[in-house]
Amino acid sequence: MSESSASALPPGRSGRQPFSHPENLSLDSSCFSSPPVNFLQELPSYRSIARKRTTIPTREKQSGTLLKPTDSYSSQLEGGITENLNSQSIRKYALNISEKRRLRNIQETQMKYLSEWDQWKRYSSKSWKRFIGKAREMTTHLELWRDDIRSIEGKFGTGIQSYFSFLRFLVLLNLVIFLIIFMLVLLPILLTKYNITNSTFVLIPSKDTDVQCTVYPISSSGLIYFYSYIIDLLSGTGFLEETCLFYGHYTIDGVKFQNFTYDLPLAYLLSTIAYLALSLLWIVKRSVEGFKINLIRSEEHFQSYCNKIFAGWDFCITNRSMADLKHSSLRYELRADLEEERIRQKIAERTSEETIRIYSLRLLLNCIVLAVLAACFYAIYRATIFSQEHMKKEIDKMVFGENLLILYLPSIVITLANFITPMIFAKIIHYEDYSPGFEIRLTILRCVFMRLATICVLVFTLGSKITSCDNYSCELCGYNQKLYPCWETQVGQEMYKLMIFDLIIILAVTLFVDFPRKLLVTYCSSWKLVQCWGQQEFAIPDNVLGIVYGQTICWIGAFFSPLLPAIATLKLIIIFYVKEISLLYTCRPSPRQFRASNSNFFFLLVLLIGLCLAIIPLTISMARLIMFYFIALAGAHKRVVVQLREQLSLESRDKRYLIQKLTEAQRDMKNRLDWQ
């Protein structure tokens, strides 16, 4: 500012005006020589000083700071920032470089007037925070698939990136579950089996249970065909049935170390409770963050429009085609919002007759949905019953293909149901006259229920088959021990087949559907049929439902097949690379994109539903173990009571016999004395 312009100012008015260049605001006392304006009084730092001034004595009197106490706003603002320097870094303040340097000099000057103990605490706190920051920076480089996921985020946005991050989370979750089971159950057995430690197996004789309820005969056959090993590998029978993959292998009651005895049955039960609790806590912890973001975004509709227009862009996108896709996605969201607003107005203008008509139509369509679900559940029930009956009777008489068809019949029916029902639900939802957003949520909810309920139907069908004895008595063991010597292994084999078949379907669809479809779209685009078919979309909800379905199988099957989490980990790793290749080379992103925060919360919510559904059959199964044990225990106690009664009866007879003999001896003795 020139001298002439400065002299033209009124007397008593400073030459620097704070509102002409707000970016040049300084904390120097010369800037605040005038009374503070209303704008500066709205600063959070000023409000914080105003609150602290009434309750906390000034730090200048306590620590001997060099700042002189004044009544100006500059000293209050500066004092407030310097007070917070102990807990926060200077870089977190929205100040220019010169102000940050001046505050750093003030901080270093204040350090000289502190005691050695306070100085050591500040230096150690800084060093510890610096170490934590460096450690976190180093751990980010050790993240699994870090570069791949960042590349996907840059090319396709945060919505698809959230799917792959969710898949990585499931890989880590299954790995931790496997480590829990391995440490609690498998490790003590392996240490004893291979003589690594000085320990021995403990076999407790079954005094309280019947011997027939604890015997698990392994089926053995004479001549084995070459394809039998393939069948065993795909179905979990044969040589796999004798390994530690299934429940029936764990017949050891404990491991005796030098100072204690390790209770394996209790460890087996605790490992199941541990991985379920860990999964629940981990999912809830991750979902809370997404819930907070969704709660913040539950704003008015006008604010929603403003957020989409002014803050809806994804700055992680670096690809031109993805930028165009993001533009179309924002246009789609705005059209969807306008459509929802139109439907809300339409609902408000409905007459009573129209309301009755639409609700009657929705009731009819929901009855159709329930009928479709019931038909699918009944088909799964009949397929499971048919598979179990023929697998026990005619498995040795079948050829290779027929054998696999019988073994995988429930899995095939479940896969077909999961493939057909979403298309039916998508057609039905168009006639229910909902808003576009609610249509998507309701369709996804129905598909989630369908996928997860099919697993529960399969488990309960197996349970009903196991407990149905027909002409045989179940009083001895509580289940059909003749057909199912170890019913837990049978359930584990079904979960194993579901997981293997799910992986086979994913690989087959990618290799034999997506790749040929991409080739047709690329080289035969002039054909009308190919134009109608189009390129495969990478639909995030469908892919998420697929991996949540597999994770639910893992949670249920881990109790009956302890190594299933390890198989699930390998399966998810394969799925990651298959989906990445499919996304890059065969699929196009869906125009209905998800925000990362909405996607993460939706994924975790669906996963939490799957966990809750998995806990139900596991709780029932564990309660039946417990129930069978008490049934056998009650039967054993009953037999002991009968034996004790017989023993008491024999003892009473012995006493009468002894008394009779004693009386006869006394009579003989008396007669002898009388003769003498």
Side-chain angles (χ1 to χ4, degrees):
M1 183 178 292
S2 64
E3 293 181 359
S4 60
S5 61
S7 61
L9 293 172
R13 186 70 65 103
S14 175
R16 180 178 298 176
Q17 298 181 7
F19 290 107
S20 60
H21 299 285
E23 66 275 6
N24 293 328
L25 284 175
S26 175
L27 292 180
D28 193 6
S29 60
S30 63
C31 300
F32 303 100
S33 58
S34 61
V37 296
N38 294 332
F39 172 75
L40 297 178
Q41 290 178 354
E42 296 296 327
L43 292 174
S45 57
Y46 181 82
R47 292 184 176 183
S48 176
I49 293 300
R51 288 194 301 268
K52 291 182 179 179
R53 188 169 51 189
T54 59
T55 57
I56 303 176
T58 59
R59 191 175 293 273
E60 291 86 352
K61 295 182 181 180
Q62 295 181 355
S63 58
T65 179
L66 293 180
L67 294 177
K68 296 181 181 180
T70 60
D71 295 333
S72 65
Y73 176 76
S74 173
S75 63
Q76 294 172 354
L77 179 60
E78 197 172 78
I81 295 179
T82 53
E83 284 181 4
N84 294 329
L85 290 179
N86 296 333
S87 58
Q88 296 183 0
S89 176
I90 295 177
R91 70 181 63 180
K92 295 183 179 179
Y93 291 96
L95 302 173
N96 54 33
I97 299 297
S98 60
E99 294 300 330
K100 290 183 178 180
R101 288 175 180 172
R102 197 172 66 84
L103 288 174
R104 190 176 297 279
N105 293 332
I106 292 174
Q107 185 185 24
E108 293 177 355
T109 305
Q110 287 179 345
M111 291 286 291
K112 300 179 181 179
Y113 295 91
L114 296 177
S115 62
E116 295 182 357
W117 172 251
D118 292 335
Q119 291 183 10
W120 180 84
K121 286 196 299 183
R122 286 199 180 184
Y123 280 123
S124 60
S125 177
K126 284 185 177 180
S127 302
W128 176 252
K129 289 179 180 179
R130 191 178 297 111
F131 171 76
I132 293 297
K134 293 292 183 181
R136 288 178 178 175
E137 185 178 356
M138 291 297 295
T139 53
T140 55
H141 295 281
L142 300 177
E143 288 182 351
L144 184 64
W145 300 317
R146 175 175 174 267
D147 296 333
D148 297 283
I149 292 179
R150 285 194 174 185
S151 176
I152 292 171
E153 181 181 7
K155 293 179 180 178
F156 302 99
T158 56
I160 296 180
Q161 173 266 339
S162 62
Y163 163 76
F164 287 93
S165 299
F166 178 68
L167 202 154
R168 177 178 60 185
F169 162 68
L170 291 182
V171 170
L172 298 177
L173 177 63
N174 284 306
L175 182 61
V176 173
I177 291 175
F178 167 70
L179 291 177
I180 290 175
I181 298 176
F182 178 81
M183 296 294 293
L184 293 179
V185 180
L186 289 173
L187 185 60
I189 296 176
L190 295 177
L191 292 177
T192 306
K193 183 178 181 180
Y194 295 100
N195 298 323
I196 300 176
T197 58
N198 188 14
S199 57
T200 57
F201 291 128
V202 177
L203 297 175
I204 302 175
S206 55
K207 296 180 179 179
D208 297 332
T209 58
D210 194 271
V211 178
Q212 297 182 10
C213 300
T214 59
V215 174
Y216 179 40
I218 302 296
S219 59
S220 59
S221 58
L223 182 61
I224 299 177
Y225 296 98
F226 71 95
Y227 59 80
S228 298
Y229 294 102
I230 301 177
I231 295 176
D232 294 341
L233 185 63
L234 294 176
S235 61
T237 56
F239 71 95
L240 283 180
E241 194 172 358
E242 305 174 12
T243 62
C244 57
L245 179 61
F246 295 110
Y247 183 95
H249 176 78
Y250 301 91
T251 58
I252 302 169
D253 297 302
V255 176
K256 184 174 181 57
F257 293 93
Q258 292 182 353
N259 299 324
F260 66 96
T261 301
Y262 191 78
D263 193 345
L264 276 177
L266 180 61
Y268 196 100
L269 183 62
L270 290 179
S271 65
T272 304
I273 299 174
Y275 78 72
L276 290 176
L278 173 69
S279 302
L280 179 62
L281 294 176
W282 204 344
I283 294 171
V284 169
K285 180 180 181 299
R286 289 177 63 96
S287 61
V288 165
E289 300 175 359
F291 177 74
K292 290 179 180 178
I293 297 175
N294 283 325
L295 189 63
I296 293 173
R297 288 185 175 174
S298 60
E299 65 275 331
E300 296 294 332
H301 301 292
F302 178 75
Q303 296 177 359
S304 176
Y305 297 140
C306 294
N307 289 339
K308 287 183 175 65
I309 294 173
F310 296 108
W313 186 252
D314 190 352
F315 289 94
C316 295
I317 297 176
T318 59
N319 186 276
R320 178 65 182 176
S321 61
M322 284 305 302
D324 296 336
L325 182 64
K326 184 63 179 179
H327 280 293
S328 64
S329 175
L330 289 175
R331 287 195 299 269
Y332 167 78
E333 290 182 5
L334 291 174
R335 285 198 302 265
D337 290 341
L338 293 175
E339 181 66 18
E340 289 183 0
E341 184 65 26
R342 186 190 66 82
I343 290 178
R344 277 191 290 269
Q345 293 180 358
K346 181 180 178 182
I347 292 174
E349 296 174 356
R350 279 178 184 166
T351 62
S352 57
E353 296 179 356
E354 293 177 346
T355 303
I356 294 174
R357 182 187 63 82
I358 190 64
Y359 277 101
S360 301
L361 180 61
R362 289 176 182 175
L363 180 61
L364 176 62
L365 294 176
N366 279 282
C367 292
I368 296 175
V369 170
L370 293 177
V372 170
L373 292 174
C376 293
F377 296 158
Y378 182 74
I380 296 170
Y381 171 78
R382 294 305 308 171
T384 306
I385 295 296
F386 181 83
S387 175
Q388 293 295 312
E389 291 177 351
H390 287 74
M391 187 173 60
K392 293 295 182 181
K393 296 179 180 179
E394 305 173 1
I395 191 169
D396 295 331
K397 304 178 182 179
M398 300 177 187
V399 295
F400 177 73
E402 187 181 2
N403 200 344
L404 277 181
L405 181 63
I406 294 298
L407 290 174
Y408 274 91
L409 186 60
S411 302
I412 294 173
V413 174
I414 290 175
T415 303
L416 289 176
N418 293 334
F419 177 75
I420 295 174
T421 51
M423 295 188 294
I424 298 176
F425 295 157
K427 293 294 183 181
I428 290 176
I429 197 69
H430 291 307
Y431 299 98
E432 296 186 79
D433 198 13
Y434 290 119
S435 62
F438 188 77
E439 282 185 2
I440 296 174
R441 290 191 293 269
L442 183 58
T443 304
I444 291 175
L445 183 62
R446 287 171 176 172
C447 294
V448 168
F449 178 77
M450 176 62 200
R451 280 183 175 268
L452 301 182
T454 52
I455 306 174
C456 296
V457 170
L458 174 64
V459 173
F460 286 117
T461 304
L462 286 174
S464 63
K465 188 65 179 176
I466 290 168
T467 54
S468 63
C469 300
D470 297 333
N471 297 328
Y472 304 100
S473 177
C474 292
E475 296 180 357
L476 187 62
C477 302
Y479 63 97
N480 195 337
Q481 196 271 341
K482 185 175 182 180
L483 293 178
Y484 302 95
C486 183
W487 64 270
E488 295 89 348
T489 296
Q490 185 69 32
V491 177
Q493 289 172 347
E494 293 297 329
M495 298 296 107
Y496 174 83
K497 288 187 287 187
L498 281 176
M499 183 165 291
I500 297 298
F501 191 74
D502 184 50
L503 178 61
I504 293 174
I505 290 297
I506 292 174
L507 295 177
V509 169
T510 304
L511 293 175
F512 303 112
V513 177
D514 292 344
F515 276 103
R517 184 174 180 178
K518 173 65 176 179
L519 294 176
L520 289 175
V521 171
T522 304
Y523 299 103
C524 304
S525 58
S526 60
W527 296 1
K528 293 185 179 180
L529 181 61
V530 174
Q531 291 176 358
C532 296
W533 196 15
Q535 190 176 354
Q536 175 67 29
E537 289 185 1
F538 191 87
I540 297 178
D542 295 338
N543 286 280
V544 169
L545 293 180
I547 59 176
V548 170
Y549 166 76
Q551 185 60 39
T552 307
I553 294 173
C554 178
W555 276 324
I556 297 176
F559 177 76
F560 309 101
S561 178
L563 295 185
L564 205 60
I567 300 174
T569 304
L570 296 177
K571 172 192 169 185
L572 290 174
I573 292 174
I574 296 173
I575 289 176
F576 181 90
Y577 290 108
V578 169
K579 292 297 181 181
E580 183 183 13
I581 295 173
S582 176
L583 175 65
L584 295 176
Y585 298 105
T586 66
C587 295
R588 62 181 177 89
S590 174
R592 296 183 177 182
Q593 290 192 346
F594 281 69
R595 287 183 178 268
S597 57
N598 296 337
S599 301
N600 291 327
F601 180 70
F602 165 72
F603 299 164
L604 293 170
L605 180 62
V606 174
L607 190 64
L608 187 62
I609 295 174
L611 177 61
C612 295
L613 289 179
I615 291 176
I616 296 175
L618 281 179
T619 304
I620 295 175
S621 300
M622 288 188 289
R624 282 184 175 178
L625 285 171
I626 296 174
M627 183 181 67
F628 293 162
Y629 171 76
F630 281 109
I631 289 175
L633 188 63
H637 286 170
K638 183 178 180 180
R639 290 192 297 272
V640 170
V641 168
V642 172
Q643 292 176 359
L644 289 176
R645 287 178 178 175
E646 292 178 355
Q647 187 175 357
L648 288 174
S649 177
L650 291 175
E651 288 182 356
S652 63
R653 292 179 183 178
D654 292 340
K655 288 180 180 179
R656 288 198 299 269
Y657 176 78
L658 291 175
I659 292 173
Q660 183 179 358
K661 291 296 183 181
L662 182 61
T663 304
E664 292 178 356
Q666 290 178 352
R667 188 182 301 111
D668 293 339
M669 183 64 69
K670 184 177 180 182
N671 292 333
R672 290 179 183 177
L673 291 175
D674 293 339
W675 280 103
Q676 293 178 357

